Amino acid sequence: MHRLTRRSASAILRHTGGSRFTRNSTAAAATCSDDSVAGHYTGPRWYSVLPSGRCNTVRSLTEVNLSKNGFFLGNRYESTAAASDASAAPPPPPPAEKYEYQAEVSRLMDLIVNSLYSNKEVFLRELISNASDALDKLRFLAVTKPELLKEAADLDIRIHTDKDNGIVTITDTGIGMTQQELVDCLGTIAQSGTAKFLKAMKDSKDAGGDNNLIGQFGVGFYSAFLVADRVVVSSKSPNSNKQYVWEGEANASSYTIREETDPEKLIPRGTCLTLYLKNDDKGFAHPERIQRLVKNYSQFISFPIYTWQEKGYTKEVEVDEDPAEASKDKQDETTEKKKKTKTVVERYWDWELTNETQPIWLRNPKEVQTEDYNEFYKKTFNEYLDPLASSHFTTEGEVEFRSILYVPAVSPQGKDDLVNPKTKNIRLHVKRVFISDDFDGELFPRYLSFVKGVVDSNDLPLNVSREILQESRIVRIMRKRLVRKAFDMILGISMSENKADYEGFWDNFGKYMKLGCLEDRENHKRLAPLLRFFSSQSEDEMISLDEYVENMKPEQKDIYYIASDSVTSARNTPFLEKLLEKELEVLYLVDPIDEIAVQNLKSYKEKNFIDISKEDLDLGDKNEEKEKMMKEEFGQTCDWIKKHLGDRVASVQISNRLSSSPCVLASAKFGWSANMERLMKSQTVGDTSSMEFMRGRRVFEINPDHPIIQNLNAAFNSNPDDIEALRAIDLLYDAALVSSGFTPENPAQLGGKIYEMMGMALSGKWSAPTPTREFHHSTPQPQTPETLEAEVVEPVEAGGQNK
């Protein structure tokens, strides 16, 4: 809405000669420059300062805000022509025209063949799935129409290969297709005959509900053109007396259908699909490769799959005698003649059942023996050892799937799975057809990537190529349930009576569990009971956190730990002295990942984890009176030491954790410990800019009961500027760096100080002092060589006689 200022209003009045607007229709019409009635007006023409267009009635003066300080400009009225237009009904919109989507068939086929699938070998999976659907349809229809099975009772799939000519033939004894069905199913892209069949089943009142049919998108057949230049489909339906042949070529926009007239190619029922392979893909016609693909993708199809394989058997054949040996045998007539034979291998071709392994996850777990699980595990994952544990379960409800999970006996070679989330340990099946084993954490997190197993579901969201598991709520629910079952399986191993089982598991997969503490906060309560550590009371055998909590003192409120590079260094650290006196157990975190894993846990059973190498350690035995006395006696000494050390330490305090050591260097409460600082320094791509910030705050703690500290206190009281006392402080600080686990900034300087102190301590202890001689100025004294008499030895010949 536009407003008129006082200056705009004055300009309008000056233009009109100070006259006011008259309240008649003529003046109102003058304000609308685009009205038709304005064309008959011969007087001065007026224009509105409001936006152009149709003039609408102004309800009140305040609506356009033309009144300011009592000054009235006038009202605007709609003309009669405008009123008549407003009262008329708007004309109806023109009718919308409907168009069908168009597609360039050759381009669409090119996209399906070259862009839909990422791996050529899946063509066999898709075609076998189509054959399986045809067999399933026949089996379902034969329940009400048994006559459909009279031509061929066996329901199977047979794959014949001709590697010389590059031809693969896939034959099934399924329902087959009529001429019209060939047009509908193969000639119409993205029309799934299986989907239509399922819809008809659902609409039928007496449908039994066979949900084993695989197809759903209607493009699986065209995967044949991934490897074939030409595809010929010969099909015979029990509902037709004729057999028809569909033939199409890659990159073609048309196909042909004809009636089969060759008596040798007639089949009783089903479909025979022949692929004429491209030159680059004729390797798929090798029988061994076809057999391997069937075992990988279609091992658990519910119908038998036979492949044409070369076989052989051994037999004994006679060998023709050598003429020389025959004449020798005639001379020795008494010797009994025996026919000579040799073993040869007779080759022949025959059908071989390829999918022998049955999907045991479809069976009732109560009916499956442990030996069956172990045999299935070894065959499926090419393992030679039995698994540590297995879990067979069925999940129903919002998400339905069946699964068998295994914990391997040994970790993978090289332990690459710890840093590589993409493993091939989980084989995903949809309706028993293998989909993929290449996942990036969709079904299992990285720290559980060592778990192997099979997952089979009927309602997983897949892309059209059935190669990629799409992110959805169903997948997230499956992931949660699989992770929960994996934890139950591992917990069962830990609670086993045979402790060696879990010890073997921890040796192989302990790092994975610790990695889970970093990556999966939601499952900390499940991870924590599975962790194992050495401790000050159990240096030879690892203990669990539950065992630690059971051994805690009644007055102990926290779980204490120390991080180090080995049990030996952790045992000898000065931070342990007071805790060992109080018999408080301390966990030894000797693995590089231990410290950060425990820091992520923060607590266990309401007990906080406390690093005993950090400042402000509270052991629950504070004595305020004693602390006050110590501060009065050693407070100024602490300030003196801090002043000399400068920025090397944040402060100097009286320690409550030392008993035999003179001092220790504690880390900041929220900074790196000595162990973490050592690990960060060793990182190849570590950030050196944060090193100084994280390690900058170090607290130098002294033991007031130690003689060295008492001597330094006396030195401060007598002569705080004594050079020897200041040098002793430097040496004490360097020694504390080493004993506390830090790395000295100048190891050579520290070595020089130690050598100097040793020289002072050992001077004259075992030998008389020689003040006029120094080691680095001494020169070796010349020695008179001892005269030796030469011995004359006479030469001797090789024979031992003198010359």
Side-chain angles (χ1 to χ4, degrees):
M1 185 175 292
H2 298 268
R3 297 179 182 271
L4 289 178
T5 62
R6 180 175 298 180
R7 180 177 302 175
S8 300
S10 301
I12 294 174
L13 291 176
R14 285 196 302 269
H15 179 73
T16 59
S19 62
R20 300 194 178 191
F21 290 101
T22 58
R23 303 181 64 178
N24 53 40
S25 60
T26 305
T31 63
C32 299
S33 62
D34 57 345
D35 256 323
S36 60
V37 295
H40 303 287
Y41 183 67
T42 57
R45 190 176 293 271
W46 311 102
Y47 293 90
S48 172
V49 295
L50 298 178
S52 62
R54 181 177 297 275
C55 300
N56 298 321
T57 304
V58 181
R59 300 175 187 174
S60 63
L61 196 61
T62 58
E63 186 170 335
V64 294
N65 199 19
L66 294 181
S67 174
K68 191 168 185 181
N69 297 330
F71 182 74
F72 174 73
L73 290 180
N75 292 341
R76 298 177 59 235
Y77 291 90
E78 230 180 23
S79 67
T80 55
S84 62
D85 291 342
S87 61
E97 298 183 17
K98 187 176 182 180
Y99 295 91
E100 297 289 340
Y101 288 106
Q102 302 297 322
E104 187 178 346
V105 178
S106 59
R107 179 60 179 161
L108 182 59
M109 287 290 295
D110 181 67
L111 289 174
I112 291 175
V113 173
N114 299 318
S115 302
L116 195 59
Y117 298 95
S118 60
N119 193 355
K120 285 186 175 183
E121 64 185 23
V122 300
F123 83 94
L124 190 62
R125 179 195 71 183
E126 298 295 315
L127 298 179
I128 291 178
S129 299
N130 288 344
S132 176
D133 283 349
L135 293 167
D136 266 320
K137 294 176 190 176
L138 178 65
R139 185 173 58 180
F140 176 79
L141 295 175
V143 175
T144 55
K145 297 180 180 180
E147 64 273 11
L148 297 177
L149 298 175
K150 65 179 180 179
E151 297 295 338
D154 294 336
L155 302 180
D156 56 24
I157 302 171
R158 296 179 183 268
I159 305 175
H160 185 277
T161 57
D162 182 358
K163 63 180 180 180
D164 296 330
N165 298 316
I167 299 175
V168 176
T169 303
I170 304 173
T171 306
D172 67 77
T173 57
I175 191 62
M177 289 177 283
T178 63
Q179 182 180 10
Q180 186 58 41
E181 287 172 342
L182 284 172
V183 174
D184 294 339
C185 297
L186 303 187
T188 306
I189 299 175
Q191 176 169 310
S192 173
T194 300
K196 292 176 64 177
F197 184 77
L198 286 173
K199 185 178 184 300
M201 287 173 55
K202 293 180 180 178
D203 296 340
S204 176
K205 296 181 180 179
D206 57 348
D210 188 350
N211 196 25
N212 291 328
L213 296 173
I214 302 167
Q216 54 180 326
F217 296 114
V219 296
F221 165 76
Y222 306 103
S223 64
F225 291 105
L226 287 169
V227 297
D229 280 325
R230 184 163 64 97
V231 178
V232 178
V233 181
S234 181
S235 187
K236 171 68 170 62
S237 172
N239 298 323
S240 175
N241 296 326
K242 298 181 180 180
Q243 180 175 331
Y244 293 94
V245 179
W246 181 100
E247 185 172 348
E249 295 182 358
N251 301 323
S253 58
S254 61
Y255 58 91
T256 61
I257 297 180
R258 59 179 172 84
E259 183 181 347
E260 182 62 76
T261 57
D262 188 352
E264 296 181 358
K265 296 183 180 180
L266 293 178
I267 56 178
R269 184 194 65 241
T271 301
C272 178
L273 191 149
T274 304
L275 307 180
Y276 296 88
L277 301 179
K278 302 174 183 177
N279 292 329
D280 294 339
D281 299 313
K282 287 188 176 181
F284 287 105
H286 285 267
E288 297 81 6
R289 189 170 186 182
I290 289 293
Q291 187 178 50
R292 179 178 59 83
L293 293 179
V294 171
K295 289 185 177 182
N296 185 39
Y297 289 101
S298 304
Q299 177 77 9
F300 306 108
I301 290 292
S302 55
F303 298 98
I305 302 175
Y306 295 94
T307 56
W308 190 247
Q309 298 293 330
E310 184 181 16
K311 299 183 179 181
Y313 64 92
T314 59
K315 66 177 183 179
E316 298 289 333
V317 296
E318 295 183 4
V319 181
D320 295 337
E321 291 188 71
D322 189 12
E325 294 183 0
S327 60
K328 184 178 180 181
D329 292 339
K330 290 180 180 179
Q331 296 175 0
D332 190 3
E333 296 179 354
T334 58
T335 305
E336 184 180 357
K337 293 184 178 180
K338 291 184 179 180
K339 295 182 179 180
K340 294 185 177 181
T341 62
K342 68 176 180 179
T343 303
V344 297
V345 179
E346 192 74 19
R347 297 287 181 181
Y348 69 98
W349 290 84
D350 196 4
W351 294 107
E352 180 179 330
L353 181 63
T354 303
N355 57 337
E356 296 178 343
T357 307
Q358 297 300 317
I360 63 173
W361 65 80
L362 299 179
R363 296 164 57 184
N364 190 340
K366 296 180 181 180
E367 301 175 356
V368 185
Q369 303 296 325
T370 303
E371 293 76 12
D372 298 331
Y373 287 124
N374 295 344
E375 182 181 359
F376 177 80
Y377 169 75
K378 293 178 180 178
K379 285 186 176 181
T380 305
F381 299 102
N382 297 322
E383 294 285 347
Y384 60 92
L385 295 176
D386 291 337
L388 284 178
S390 63
S391 177
H392 182 189
F393 60 93
T394 301
T395 301
E396 297 179 351
E398 186 176 3
V399 179
E400 296 184 4
F401 66 92
R402 298 171 180 265
S403 178
I404 298 179
L405 300 180
Y406 295 94
V407 175
V410 295
S411 60
Q413 295 181 358
K415 299 183 178 180
D416 292 335
D417 291 348
L418 187 61
V419 295
N420 181 19
K422 286 191 175 183
T423 62
K424 296 184 179 295
N425 293 337
I426 298 298
R427 296 177 59 85
L428 177 64
H429 292 71
V430 173
K431 298 179 181 179
R432 306 172 316 284
V433 178
F434 173 70
I435 300 300
S436 177
D437 58 1
D438 188 9
F439 298 106
D440 192 6
E442 290 91 346
L443 294 180
F444 269 101
R446 180 171 65 159
Y447 68 92
L448 288 177
S449 59
F450 64 88
V451 176
K452 298 185 177 183
V454 175
V455 179
D456 188 7
S457 177
N458 293 341
D459 49 2
L460 276 181
L462 301 173
N463 68 338
V464 180
S465 64
R466 297 197 296 172
E467 296 174 354
I468 303 174
L469 187 62
Q470 297 177 346
E471 178 64 24
S472 70
R473 184 169 174 269
I474 295 177
V475 177
R476 291 192 293 270
I477 295 175
M478 284 186 61
R479 175 188 168 107
K480 284 186 178 180
R481 295 183 181 177
L482 288 171
V483 169
R484 191 180 308 160
K485 288 294 183 179
F487 276 122
D488 293 342
M489 186 168 48
I490 298 171
L491 184 62
I493 302 175
S494 67
M495 299 176 66
S496 174
E497 295 180 357
N498 187 4
K499 292 185 177 181
D501 290 343
Y502 196 73
E503 289 178 0
F505 169 82
W506 187 256
D507 290 340
N508 287 283
F509 307 108
K511 286 184 172 64
Y512 291 81
M513 298 292 98
K514 298 169 187 176
L515 181 64
C517 297
L518 278 65
E519 298 183 345
D520 194 355
R521 294 182 180 274
E522 295 181 359
N523 288 306
H524 276 180
K525 292 184 178 180
R526 292 186 174 94
L527 283 164
L530 303 175
L531 301 179
R532 297 292 184 269
F533 303 101
F534 292 107
S535 74
S536 57
Q537 298 181 9
S538 179
E539 297 181 358
D540 299 326
E541 184 178 353
M542 287 186 168
I543 64 170
S544 65
L545 294 178
D546 288 324
E547 292 174 313
Y548 181 94
V549 174
E550 291 177 2
N551 297 334
M552 289 176 61
K553 298 292 182 180
E555 67 278 3
Q556 185 178 347
K557 298 179 181 180
D558 302 312
I559 300 175
Y560 300 111
Y561 71 88
I562 180 70
S564 185
D565 58 348
S566 66
V567 174
T568 303
S569 60
R571 181 199 309 133
N572 297 319
T573 182
F575 296 104
L576 278 175
E577 294 174 358
K578 188 69 72 173
L579 286 92
L580 294 180
E581 286 185 0
K582 294 179 172 291
E583 296 183 352
L584 296 176
E585 190 172 12
V586 179
L587 297 177
Y588 293 162
L589 309 186
V590 296
D591 203 47
I593 198 175
D594 283 352
E595 184 176 1
I596 191 170
V598 168
Q599 288 175 355
N600 277 267
L601 285 179
K602 295 182 180 179
S603 63
Y604 181 71
K605 291 186 176 180
E606 299 181 356
K607 308 288 185 182
N608 294 325
F609 288 99
I610 300 296
D611 187 353
I612 63 172
S613 67
K614 298 293 184 70
E615 62 178 334
D616 299 333
L617 178 64
D618 184 11
L619 299 178
D621 58 348
K622 286 188 176 182
N623 189 337
E624 296 182 359
E625 295 183 0
K626 183 178 179 181
E627 289 182 1
K628 185 178 180 180
M629 292 176 57
M630 289 297 178
K631 286 183 179 180
E632 291 179 356
E633 183 177 357
F634 292 91
Q636 294 182 350
T637 304
C638 292
D639 296 338
W640 172 57
I641 296 175
K642 171 63 176 75
K643 181 179 179 181
H644 178 69
L645 295 177
D647 295 336
R648 287 180 285 179
V649 296
S651 63
V652 179
Q653 299 177 4
I654 298 174
S655 178
N656 63 340
R657 70 182 97 203
L658 299 176
S659 59
S660 59
S661 298
C663 59
V664 74
L665 202 60
S667 304
K669 190 172 184 180
F670 300 103
W672 287 338
S673 65
N675 182 69
M676 183 59 64
E677 185 176 319
R678 176 179 58 83
L679 294 175
M680 295 304 294
K681 283 183 177 180
S682 63
Q683 296 297 316
T684 305
V685 291
D687 184 11
T688 57
S689 61
S690 61
M691 294 290 290
E692 293 297 329
F693 173 75
M694 295 301 294
R695 71 180 182 182
R697 180 175 174 81
R698 295 173 181 171
V699 179
F700 189 65
E701 296 185 2
I702 60 174
N703 181 9
D705 298 328
H706 198 276
I708 295 178
I709 302 301
Q710 293 177 354
N711 288 332
L712 286 178
N713 187 39
F716 166 74
N717 294 327
S718 61
N719 185 9
D721 297 328
D722 192 339
I723 299 299
E724 296 297 330
L726 297 178
R727 293 176 64 186
I729 293 176
D730 291 334
L731 183 60
L732 200 63
Y733 171 77
D734 290 335
L737 271 176
V738 177
S739 63
S740 302
F742 294 98
T743 303
E745 298 177 0
N746 192 342
Q749 185 179 6
L750 174 60
K753 294 178 183 178
I754 295 175
Y755 298 151
E756 183 180 355
M757 297 294 291
M758 290 178 62
M760 294 173 58
L762 300 179
S763 177
K765 188 171 184 179
W766 294 289
S767 62
T770 55
T772 59
R773 177 184 176 187
E774 294 183 1
F775 179 78
H776 57 277
H777 291 298
S778 61
T779 55
Q781 298 294 330
Q783 297 180 358
T784 303
E786 183 180 356
T787 303
L788 300 177
E789 294 183 359
E791 181 181 358
V792 178
V793 180
E794 296 181 359
V796 181
E797 292 183 356
Q801 298 178 355
N802 295 340
K803 289 183 179 180

